[in-house]
């Protein structure tokens, strides 16, 4: 079945249904992504937050079918782009989707860019593959893209290698590559992690401006809830490979229902807090994802946990329109908040 065939009608741009990914290692099976479901609409920005190792990046790589197989394996689920399930496409069809339909910016541009190829050759490759441009057209478009993302003397910098760019410039070049074919969805996987605060702000502002200009949807993966507050309309909170709370940013930030979300938000300084206000910390450590967890994965760290939490995993249930949470004690958490 070709991606270019007529596609079933869908009210959402992207639908992720029951996405489940495992890694089969010598020490056991890693339950990296567990039954994750959500939607993304056109021009929407969705934040995906959680601690390191919670499955944020693996779920995105699974959507792009970029996890190493073996040891990884997408065990179940659907990733529907305009109704077409990407997990059912053959390798050649999926290559035509990556970059052209969905593009991704990775955490570390130094390891994502090929060190022995010029910046220009890495951008023009996608333009030739997906847009059918000749070398001259691809060169001109590449210079235009570098200028768009704020790299001065763009046409002269096409012949530079990644090591000749600063960290911020390398990330801008990665954004230029990701946007080269006007994708419908941009996945930004912690793109500002290795950058200083000033450059972080510039990159975030750049993505926001480009999104307004191009009308693409953005999935912004981060551990920084402050970034999500100013960038996204909706947020997914992940823990131990599970989606535990999802909804509009303002609603979740003002009225979190999951104790993990409460802990994450409590660790952030807030404008207007009195001098000396203590930040909260979440006790304990994230669970080892080798082996299937029994009950709620957050229960060992949760001050609200009851006997049921230890033996029965909660499912996402609505609390308000568009706001869902997986917690047996959500009402008590809400009252305490």
């Amino acid at each position: 079945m070709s991606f270019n065939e007529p596609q079933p009608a869908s009210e959402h741009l992207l639908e992720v249904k029951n996405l489940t990914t495992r890694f089969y290692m010598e020490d056991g099976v890693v339950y990296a992504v567990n039954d994750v479901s959500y939607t993304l609409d056109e021009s929407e920005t969705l934040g995906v937050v959680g601690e390191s190792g919670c499955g944020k990046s693996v779920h995105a790589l699974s959507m792009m079918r970029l996890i190493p197989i073996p040891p990884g394996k997408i065990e179940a689920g659907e990733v529907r782009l305009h109704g077409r399930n990407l997990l059912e496409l053959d390798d050649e069809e999926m290559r035509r989707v990556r970059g052209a339909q969905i593009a991704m910016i990775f955490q570390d541009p130094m390891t994502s860019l090929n060190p022995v190829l010029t910046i220009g050759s890495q951008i023009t490759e996608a333009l030739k593959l997906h847009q059918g441009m000749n070398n001259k057209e691809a060169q001109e478009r590449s210079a235009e893209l570098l200028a768009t993302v704020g790299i001065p003397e763009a046409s002269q910098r096409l012949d530079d290698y990644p090591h000749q760019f600063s960290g911020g410039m390398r990330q801008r070049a990665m954004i230029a590559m990701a946007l080269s074919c006007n994708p419908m969805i941009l996945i930004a996987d912690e793109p500002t992690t290795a950058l200083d605060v000033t450059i972080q702000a510039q990159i975030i502002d750049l993505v926001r401006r480009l999104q307004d200009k191009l009308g693409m949807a953005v999935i912004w993966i981060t551990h920084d809830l402050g970034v999500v507050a100013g960038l996204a309309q909706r947020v997914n909170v992940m823990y131990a490979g599970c989606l535990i709370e999802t909804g509009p940013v303002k609603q979740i930030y003002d009225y979190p229902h999951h104790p993990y979300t409460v802990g994450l938000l409590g660790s952030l300084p807030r404008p207007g807090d009195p001098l000396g206000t203590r930040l909260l910390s979440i006790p304990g450590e994230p669970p080892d994802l080798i082996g299937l967890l029994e009950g709620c994965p957050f229960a060992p760290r949760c001050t609200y946990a009851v006997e049921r939490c230890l033996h029965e995993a909660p499912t996402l249930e609505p609390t308000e329109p568009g706001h869902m949470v997986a917690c047996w004690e959500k009402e008590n958490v809400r009252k305490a908040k």
Side-chain angles (χ1 to χ4, degrees), residues 138-290:
Q139 287 282 333
E140 290 174 353
R141 175 62 175 153
S142 297
E144 180 184 326
L145 286 163
L146 287 184
T148 299
V149 298
I151 293 180
E153 300 179 340
S155 59
Q156 283 75 44
R157 303 308 300 268
L158 289 174
D159 293 327
D160 286 352
Y161 289 86
H163 73 270
Q164 294 174 280
F165 277 35
S166 66
M169 289 176 67
R170 285 196 294 267
Q171 197 58 282
R172 289 171 184 268
M174 282 290 296
I175 294 171
M177 290 175 61
L179 299 181
S180 60
C181 299
N182 300 318
M184 293 183 286
I185 300 172
L186 176 67
I187 301 175
D189 185 10
E190 304 206 45
T192 61
T193 298
L195 306 176
D196 64 54
V197 176
T198 302
I199 303 301
Q200 284 184 25
Q202 292 176 5
I203 296 297
I204 292 167
D205 182 62
L206 172 62
V207 172
R208 184 189 290 115
R209 287 189 287 107
L210 291 171
Q211 181 184 21
D212 290 341
K213 179 181 178 180
L214 302 173
M216 62 189 174
V218 174
I219 299 176
W220 192 282
I221 298 171
T222 182
H223 60 272
D224 190 336
L225 278 80
V227 168
V228 170
L231 191 66
Q233 289 87 50
R234 286 192 305 126
V235 60
N236 286 350
V237 183
M238 291 190 68
Y239 183 79
C242 303
L243 180 56
I244 59 167
E245 189 161 11
T246 180
V249 167
K250 181 170 175 53
Q251 201 166 37
I252 285 185
Y253 278 51
D254 290 345
Y255 307 107
H257 281 65
H258 198 287
Y260 179 65
T261 311
V262 172
L264 288 179
L265 292 169
S267 67
L268 286 176
R270 290 180 176 249
D273 282 348
L275 188 65
T277 299
R278 291 182 63 87
L279 300 179
L280 299 179
S281 63
I282 302 174
E285 297 180 353
D288 186 346
L289 296 183
I290 295 180

Side-chain angles (χ1 to χ4, degrees), residues 5-246:
E5 291 177 9
Q7 300 167 14
S10 173
E11 61 178 310
H12 302 292
L13 174 61
L14 180 75
E15 295 176 280
V16 179
K17 298 180 180 179
N18 310 116
L19 184 62
T20 302
T21 301
R22 307 278 183 258
F23 288 89
Y24 293 87
M25 315 297 286
E26 289 185 3
D27 295 337
V29 180
V30 179
Y31 287 71
V33 179
N34 303 304
D35 203 28
V36 169
S37 300
Y38 64 88
T39 62
L40 180 73
D41 294 330
E42 292 186 7
S43 303
E44 181 182 24
T45 300
L46 172 70
V48 181
V49 301
E51 293 170 287
S52 296
C54 72
K56 304 186 302 293
S57 296
V58 175
H59 112 275
L61 293 171
S62 299
M63 289 165 50
M64 298 282 285
R65 290 189 23 203
L66 289 174
I67 62 166
I69 302 175
K73 184 180 180 182
I74 301 172
E75 292 283 5
E78 300 177 2
V79 179
R80 293 192 173 273
L81 178 62
H82 274 320
R84 177 72 71 233
N85 187 4
L86 302 184
L87 302 186
E88 292 180 346
L89 302 183
D90 63 34
D91 290 344
E92 180 58 33
E93 288 172 325
M94 192 61 205
R95 276 192 289 270
R96 292 201 296 269
V97 171
R98 294 191 200 104
Q101 307 288 333
I102 306 179
M104 191 165 180
I105 309 170
F106 298 92
Q107 291 185 32
D108 185 357
M110 198 61 221
T111 57
S112 301
L113 293 167
N114 190 323
V116 300
L117 295 178
T118 64
I119 294 293
S121 65
Q122 296 185 60
I123 300 176
T124 57
E125 180 182 10
L127 293 167
K128 293 174 184 177
L129 176 65
H130 294 297
Q131 303 290 310
M133 293 184 181
N134 60 36
N135 191 61
K136 183 174 183 296
E137 292 170 334
Q139 287 282 333
E140 290 174 353
R141 175 62 175 153
S142 297
E144 180 184 326
L145 286 163
L146 287 184
T148 299
V149 298
I151 293 180
E153 300 179 340
S155 59
Q156 283 75 44
R157 303 308 300 268
L158 289 174
D159 293 327
D160 286 352
Y161 289 86
H163 73 270
Q164 294 174 280
F165 277 35
S166 66
M169 289 176 67
R170 285 196 294 267
Q171 197 58 282
R172 289 171 184 268
M174 282 290 296
I175 294 171
M177 290 175 61
L179 299 181
S180 60
C181 299
N182 300 318
M184 293 183 286
I185 300 172
L186 176 67
I187 301 175
D189 185 10
E190 304 206 45
T192 61
T193 298
L195 306 176
D196 64 54
V197 176
T198 302
I199 303 301
Q200 284 184 25
Q202 292 176 5
I203 296 297
I204 292 167
D205 182 62
L206 172 62
V207 172
R208 184 189 290 115
R209 287 189 287 107
L210 291 171
Q211 181 184 21
D212 290 341
K213 179 181 178 180
L214 302 173
M216 62 189 174
V218 174
I219 299 176
W220 192 282
I221 298 171
T222 182
H223 60 272
D224 190 336
L225 278 80
V227 168
V228 170
L231 191 66
Q233 289 87 50
R234 286 192 305 126
V235 60
N236 286 350
V237 183
M238 291 190 68
Y239 183 79
C242 303
L243 180 56
I244 59 167
E245 189 161 11
T246 180

